Amino acid sequence: MAYERHVRKRKPSAIRRAWLFCFLLALPTFLFAGILLWQQHVTAAPTFLLLFCLFIYLLLIAASLIEGLMRPLQTLSNVVSSLREGDYSFRARGASSADALGELASEINALADLLQKQRVRSLEATALLARILEVMHAPLFAFDREDLLQLVNNAGAQLLGRPLARCFGHSAAELGLENLLASSDQTVHSFGTRPSRWLLRKALFRQDGAPHTLLLLADVSQPLQEEEQIAWKRLIRVLGHELSNSLAPIKSIAGSLLARAEKISGDESTVHDFRRGLSVIESRADSLHRFVQSYRLLAQLPPPHLKAVQAGPLLERVALLEQRVPVQLDPGPTVLLNADPDQLEQMFINLLTNAVDASLSNGAKPVRIGWRVAESNLVVGIEDSGLGIANTENLFVPFYTTKPKGSGVGLALAQQIARAHGGEIRLVNREDGPGARAIIHLPIA
């Protein structure tokens, strides 16, 4: 084996073998020429001169032959080397000749064209994938077998609260994603600072032969809230119908009996108790009827009648309606909305009423209203100086209220109006002090 390797290493190159073959081909010519000159009794000087000229001639012929064979092969070798290094701009010459080298050059050029097209398609597909990941609103993460993050889009970086460059190479435990990585596909989780619920989609793929895990999060908070609202509306319709049908005759009968009680004679205390009981029944029936009607308003909100509305004057009118605490209205840009002014006014009244109630519970401090434009949306902020929000998850759930005399309709109705206009309402605690902030997003016309 060692001898074979030694022989293989000392094997002459193709050019040396070509020169050797040319020398062997020319050797009989020299022998015949020398014998012929010897038989003709040519002297030594002319013999050496003729043999030298013959040698130069054969040398030039051999050099031309070797150059004609080796140069195309060297060119093809350089082209293949360029293809291996990823440079597809070189092409082999002589592809038009009808011989073996020409066919080889044609095949190499065709291979270069094919690789160049595949590279362009790969670059375009990579750019398209990067663009899709950039504009995706759903957070996306890819982890390798060591649970290290290898791929993330802008939405995922925003959810993690980190710059995009500082996300790669960190483990799932460091990023707080180990629970999602260990969870099953199509499960709902709460993650991040926002009170959102995320549907987890999980898939496995391979890259460079190594297994990777892909996580995709879809925000299902709004669809779930819409389903909850539909269920609440159905329940409210049924309960409202049944209660109204029962309360109306109770109120009517109590009123009739109370009118006839004036003619009843007997013990004064008994008559008084009888009248008072009927008054309580009539009053409570009337109160329950108004209570049910307020919930039926939530379930039967009509679609908005859209028209051009100036945001500034609308907010000024809403601010003037509240007189319990000072309302500071910060000036903002002129914004035109395509909305239902009556529904928007009711929405802002409900939010301002909640803000004022919160401020009254903490010293009757002023309430502040301001608005701005961000990404083709009107963003209105209503800040109070109350005690803040203890439970932000159930704020927009019908029947849920933290007020002693609240009905749990105001915020749910406001959110329903905002979504009917293509907007959204969020309530968060203030970072700059006590109190909460209502943030309303509405699309600009």
Side-chain angles (χ1 to χ4, degrees), residues 246-258:
S246 300
L247 291 174
I250 290 175
K251 178 184 176 182
S252 177
I253 293 172
S256 300
L257 292 176
L258 186 61

Side-chain angles (χ1 to χ4, degrees), residues 140-155:
L140 182 142
F141 309 94
F143 293 90
D144 60 10
R145 65 171 67 183
E146 304 295 335
D147 292 345
L148 298 179
L149 185 64
Q150 300 296 331
L151 177 66
V152 63
N153 60 351
N154 292 332

Side-chain angles (χ1 to χ4, degrees), residues 49 68 74 80 100 110-112 123 129 142-143 154-155 166 176 182 190 201 203 233 257 306 347 356 378 396 415 419:
L49 179 61
Q74 290 178 350
V80 173
L111 177 61
L123 292 176
L129 177 61
F143 293 90
N154 292 332
R166 293 182 55 192
S190 296
R201 299 303 307 269
K233 287 180 181 179
L257 292 176
L306 304 180
M347 178 188 71
V356 172
L378 170 67
F396 299 104
Q415 183 71 281
R419 289 178 177 172

